[in-house]
Coordinates of all heavy atoms in Angstrom, one line a residue:
A1397 N 96.6 116.0 119.2 CA 95.8 114.8 119.6 C 95.3 114.1 118.4 O 94.9 114.6 117.4 CB 94.6 115.3 120.4
I1398 N 95.5 112.7 118.4 CA 94.9 111.9 117.4 C 94.1 110.8 118.2 O 94.4 110.5 119.3 CB 95.9 111.2 116.5 CG1 96.9 110.3 117.3 CG2 96.7 112.3 115.7 CD1 97.8 109.6 116.4
D1399 N 93.1 110.2 117.5 CA 92.3 109.2 118.2 C 92.3 107.9 117.4 O 91.4 107.0 117.6 CB 90.9 109.6 118.5 CG 90.1 110.1 117.3 OD1 90.7 110.1 116.2 OD2 89.0 110.5 117.4
G1400 N 93.2 107.8 116.4 CA 93.3 106.6 115.6 C 94.1 106.9 114.3 O 94.8 107.9 114.2
V1401 N 93.9 106.0 113.4 CA 94.5 106.2 112.1 C 93.5 105.9 111.0 O 92.4 105.3 111.3 CB 95.8 105.2 111.8 CG1 96.9 105.6 112.8 CG2 95.4 103.8 111.9
V1402 N 93.8 106.4 109.8 CA 92.8 106.3 108.7 C 93.5 105.5 107.5 O 94.7 105.8 107.2 CB 92.3 107.6 108.2 CG1 91.4 107.5 107.0 CG2 91.5 108.3 109.3
Y1403 N 92.8 104.6 106.9 CA 93.3 103.9 105.7 C 92.4 104.2 104.5 O 91.2 104.2 104.6 CB 93.3 102.4 105.9 CG 93.9 101.9 107.2 CD1 93.2 101.0 108.0 CD2 95.1 102.3 107.7 CE1 93.7 100.5 109.2 CE2 95.6 101.9 108.9 CZ 94.9 101.0 109.7 OH 95.5 100.6 110.8
K1404 N 93.1 104.5 103.4 CA 92.3 104.8 102.2 C 93.0 103.9 101.0 O 94.2 103.9 100.9 CB 92.4 106.2 101.8 CG 91.5 107.1 102.7 CD 91.5 108.6 102.1 CE 90.6 109.4 103.0 NZ 90.6 110.8 102.6
V1405 N 92.2 103.3 100.2 CA 92.7 102.6 99.0 C 93.4 103.7 98.2 O 92.8 104.8 97.9 CB 91.5 102.0 98.3 CG1 92.0 101.4 96.9 CG2 90.9 100.8 99.1
N1406 N 94.6 103.4 97.7 CA 95.4 104.4 97.0 C 94.9 104.7 95.6 O 94.8 105.9 95.2 CB 96.9 104.0 97.0 CG 97.8 105.2 96.7 OD1 97.4 106.3 96.8 ND2 99.0 104.9 96.2
Q1407 N 94.5 103.7 94.9 CA 94.1 103.9 93.5 C 92.7 104.5 93.4 O 91.8 104.0 93.9 CB 94.1 102.5 92.7 CG 95.5 102.0 92.5 CD 95.5 100.8 91.6 OE1 96.0 99.7 92.0 NE2 95.0 100.9 90.4
I1408 N 92.7 105.6 92.7 CA 91.4 106.4 92.5 C 90.3 105.6 91.8 O 89.2 105.6 92.2 CB 91.6 107.7 91.8 CG1 92.7 108.6 92.6 CG2 90.3 108.5 91.7 CD1 92.2 108.9 94.1
D1409 N 90.7 104.8 90.8 CA 89.7 104.1 90.0 C 89.1 103.0 90.9 O 87.9 102.7 90.8 CB 90.3 103.5 88.7 CG 91.4 102.5 89.0 OD1 92.1 102.7 90.0 OD2 91.7 101.7 88.1
Y1410 N 89.9 102.4 91.8 CA 89.4 101.4 92.8 C 88.4 102.1 93.7 O 87.3 101.6 94.1 CB 90.5 100.8 93.6 CG 91.2 99.7 92.8 CD1 92.4 99.1 93.3 CD2 90.8 99.2 91.6 CE1 93.1 98.1 92.6 CE2 91.4 98.2 90.9 CZ 92.6 97.7 91.4 OH 93.3 96.7 90.7
Q1411 N 88.7 103.3 94.2 CA 87.9 104.1 95.1 C 86.5 104.3 94.4 O 85.4 104.1 95.0 CB 88.5 105.5 95.4 CG 89.7 105.4 96.3 CD 90.1 106.8 96.8 OE1 89.4 107.8 96.6 NE2 91.2 106.9 97.5
T1412 N 86.5 104.7 93.1 CA 85.3 104.9 92.4 C 84.5 103.7 92.2 O 83.2 103.7 92.4 CB 85.6 105.4 91.0 OG1 86.4 106.6 91.1 CG2 84.4 105.8 90.2
R1413 N 85.1 102.5 92.0 CA 84.4 101.3 91.9 C 83.8 100.8 93.2 O 82.7 100.3 93.2 CB 85.3 100.2 91.4 CG 85.7 100.3 89.9 CD 86.7 99.3 89.5 NE 86.4 97.9 89.7 CZ 87.2 96.9 89.6 NH1 88.4 97.1 89.1 NH2 86.8 95.7 89.8
L1414 N 84.5 101.1 94.3 CA 83.9 100.7 95.6 C 82.8 101.6 96.0 O 81.8 101.1 96.6 CB 85.1 100.7 96.6 CG 86.1 99.6 96.5 CD1 87.3 99.9 97.4 CD2 85.5 98.2 96.9
G1415 N 82.9 102.9 95.8 CA 81.8 103.8 96.0 C 81.5 104.0 97.5 O 82.4 103.9 98.4
F1416 N 80.2 104.1 97.8 CA 79.8 104.5 99.2 C 78.6 103.6 99.6 O 77.9 103.0 98.8 CB 79.3 105.9 99.2 CG 80.4 106.9 98.8 CD1 80.6 107.2 97.5 CD2 81.2 107.5 99.8 CE1 81.6 108.1 97.1 CE2 82.2 108.4 99.4 CZ 82.3 108.7 98.0
V1417 N 78.5 103.4 100.9 CA 77.3 102.7 101.5 C 76.8 103.5 102.6 O 77.6 103.9 103.5 CB 77.7 101.3 101.9 CG1 78.8 101.3 102.9 CG2 76.5 100.5 102.4
M1418 N 75.5 103.8 102.6 CA 74.9 104.6 103.6 C 75.6 105.9 103.8 O 75.6 106.7 102.9 CB 74.7 103.8 105.0 CG 73.7 102.7 104.9 SD 73.3 102.0 106.5 CE 74.8 101.2 106.9
R1419 N 76.3 106.1 104.9 CA 76.8 107.4 105.2 C 78.4 107.4 105.1 O 79.0 108.4 105.5 CB 76.5 107.8 106.7 CG 77.0 106.8 107.7 CD 77.0 107.3 109.1 NE 77.8 106.5 110.0 CZ 78.2 106.8 111.2 NH1 77.9 108.0 111.7 NH2 79.0 106.0 111.9
A1420 N 79.0 106.3 104.6 CA 80.4 106.2 104.6 C 81.0 105.7 103.3 O 80.3 104.9 102.6 CB 80.8 105.3 105.7

């Protein structure tokens, strides 16, 4: 069972720059 799909920015340095907001 799946209930959707997940997208993640591929580049790790971009992930670090974007960071987090509240709980996500």
